[in-house]
Structures are given as C-alpha cells and as structure tokens.
C-alpha cells in the first residue's frame, strides 16, 4: 500500500478503529520517504506531494483522494525509473538514513527516521530535559515504534517528550524553549501532545 506521508495510513487506522474493523494485511510504503531518498532537492524539505509531483512532471488535483492516490503511485514509479530501484527494494531502502550530503536542524538524527511498520509511524517526537535512559536509547525505542525523532519542535512535531528540567539551564523561564514552542503551536491549533 503506497501513501505519501503517513496521513492515509493513520486516517485508515482511525476509521477502522472507529467502526471496530480489522486492518488489512499489507505493507505500507511512504512515497515521501522514497522521494527524500531519491533526490537532494527534496531530502530535507519540499517533499510534499504537490512539490514532488511538480518535480516528476505529474499533474493532478491535490486533496482529491483518488488523484492523491494516483500521484503517490506516480512518485514511486518515477523514483523507481530514475534510480533503478524496484518497489520491493524501496520497502527496505526507506528505513535507511538519508545520505545526500545535506543536513537540516529539522531532520531527525541519522538512523531515527521511524520504522514504517511501527504502530506510531507518521508521528514526530522531540525530547527535552533529562530522561531516565540515555537520549540515544530513547530515540532508538521511539524509532522502533515508528516515531521520527527530531531535534527541534516544528510544525511537523506531534509529540514532545519532557524529562526532568534543570531550572538553572532555563535562563529565567519556567519551561524549556522546546516546551514553550510546543505550547505556542498548540495555542495556534496544532495537534501536538506533551508527555
């Protein structure tokens, strides 16, 4: 099953849960991750469906379910044609860190992109404060569950994991800068949870 980002996967899971239906037996492939692996121009940003389709030359009506589904398929087909990587191989390839020579402070640390088979795939988590386990171990566990682990809070963040805060390091504030940013985004309507 191919979708662009985890939106369709999450929406399907929620709809099935609402009606008490079982999830279909399938493997999911995120065409946005395929696009990020394929070209440097969308490795760190610009990998939304509309942007990627513009790059591959596919015209479609955005936010129309059948059109979006076809567009996700076209992204995968174009990436396979350009790279010579078969669809089956992409299922493994998208789990590897993006290696394009670029970096961004908004991308997850290498190796923590979130495993597509994880139940929380599509969620983006950021940690702040001291955790009861090493931060690297927390990132590994989160990635196994499907979380993308990011360094900073952004519009893509869905979870902020808050550990113990050393008030001496908060420069006069009661909360970390990550938590303050998360609260700003929540006040502006972003669906973001603080744990």
């Amino acid at each position: 099953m191919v979708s662009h980002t985890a939106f369709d996967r999450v929406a399907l899971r929620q709809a099935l849960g609402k009606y008490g239906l079982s999830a279909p037996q399938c493997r999911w492939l995120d065409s946005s991750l395929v696009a990020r692996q394929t070209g440097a121009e969308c490795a760190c940003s610009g990998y939304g469906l509309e942007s990627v389709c513009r790059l591959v030359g596919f015209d479609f009506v955005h936010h129309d379910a059948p059109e979006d589904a076809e567009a996700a398929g076209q992204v995968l087909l174009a990436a396979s044609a350009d790279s010579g990587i078969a669809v089956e191989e992409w299922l493994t390839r998208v789990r590897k860190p993006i290696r394009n020579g670029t970096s961004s402070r908004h991308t997850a640390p290498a190796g923590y992109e979130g495993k597509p088979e994880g139940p929380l795939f599509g969620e983006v988590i950021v940690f702040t404060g001291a955790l009861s386990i090493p931060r690297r171990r927390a990132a590994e566990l989160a990635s196994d569950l499907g979380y993308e682990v990011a360094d900073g809070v952004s519009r893509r963040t869905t979870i902020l994991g808050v550990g113990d805060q050393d008030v001496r390091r908060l420069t006069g504030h009661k909360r970390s800068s990550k938590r303050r940013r998360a609260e700003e985004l929540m006040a502006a309507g972003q669906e973001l949870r603080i744990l």
Side-chain angles (χ1 to χ4, degrees):
M1 186 89 69
V2 178
S3 67
H4 200 82
T5 73
F7 178 83
D8 294 320
R9 179 180 175 177
V10 171
L12 180 62
R13 184 178 66 222
Q14 290 174 343
L16 291 169
K18 180 178 179 180
Y19 295 105
L21 301 171
S22 299
Q25 294 299 315
C26 65
R27 294 191 306 180
W28 286 87
L29 180 58
D30 183 341
S31 59
S32 73
L33 295 176
V34 171
R36 293 180 70 191
Q37 288 278 357
T38 303
E41 64 273 358
C42 56
C44 296
S45 64
Y47 51 84
L49 187 57
E50 194 168 21
S51 297
V52 176
C53 283
R54 199 172 19 256
L55 286 170
V56 301
F58 181 73
D59 293 321
F60 73 110
V61 178
H62 197 30
H63 300 301
D64 175 273
E67 293 266 336
D68 286 354
E70 183 178 359
Q74 291 296 326
V75 168
L76 179 59
L77 292 172
S80 292
D82 288 347
S83 66
I85 298 173
V87 173
E88 193 70 26
E89 199 176 330
W90 276 116
L91 289 164
T92 305
R93 179 77 178 261
V94 296
R95 296 181 196 165
K96 296 180 180 175
I98 297 167
R99 299 190 189 284
N100 64 358
T102 64
S103 64
S104 167
R105 64 184 181 92
H106 298 292
T107 60
Y112 302 116
E113 289 290 324
K115 295 185 177 176
E117 68 274 9
L120 299 171
F121 183 72
E123 300 277 346
V124 178
I125 191 167
V126 173
F127 296 111
T128 186
L131 306 177
S132 60
I133 60 175
R135 184 77 56 100
R136 180 171 291 283
R137 180 68 182 135
E140 290 169 355
L141 292 169
S143 177
D144 287 345
L145 289 170
Y147 285 109
E148 175 184 332
V149 182
D151 289 328
V153 175
S154 72
R155 290 192 174 112
R156 297 182 56 246
T157 307
T158 58
I159 301 282
L160 177 65
V162 180
D164 291 333
Q165 299 288 306
D166 181 350
V167 294
R168 295 170 296 180
R169 300 182 73 192
L170 298 179
T171 60
H173 295 282
K174 293 181 181 179
R175 294 179 176 88
S176 71
S177 60
K178 290 178 182 178
R179 182 158 183 176
R180 293 192 313 269
R181 176 66 176 141
E183 289 171 347
E184 287 172 13
L185 291 169
M186 291 169 70
Q190 179 167 328
E191 289 186 37
L192 193 154
R193 291 163 290 176
I194 298 175
L195 304 174

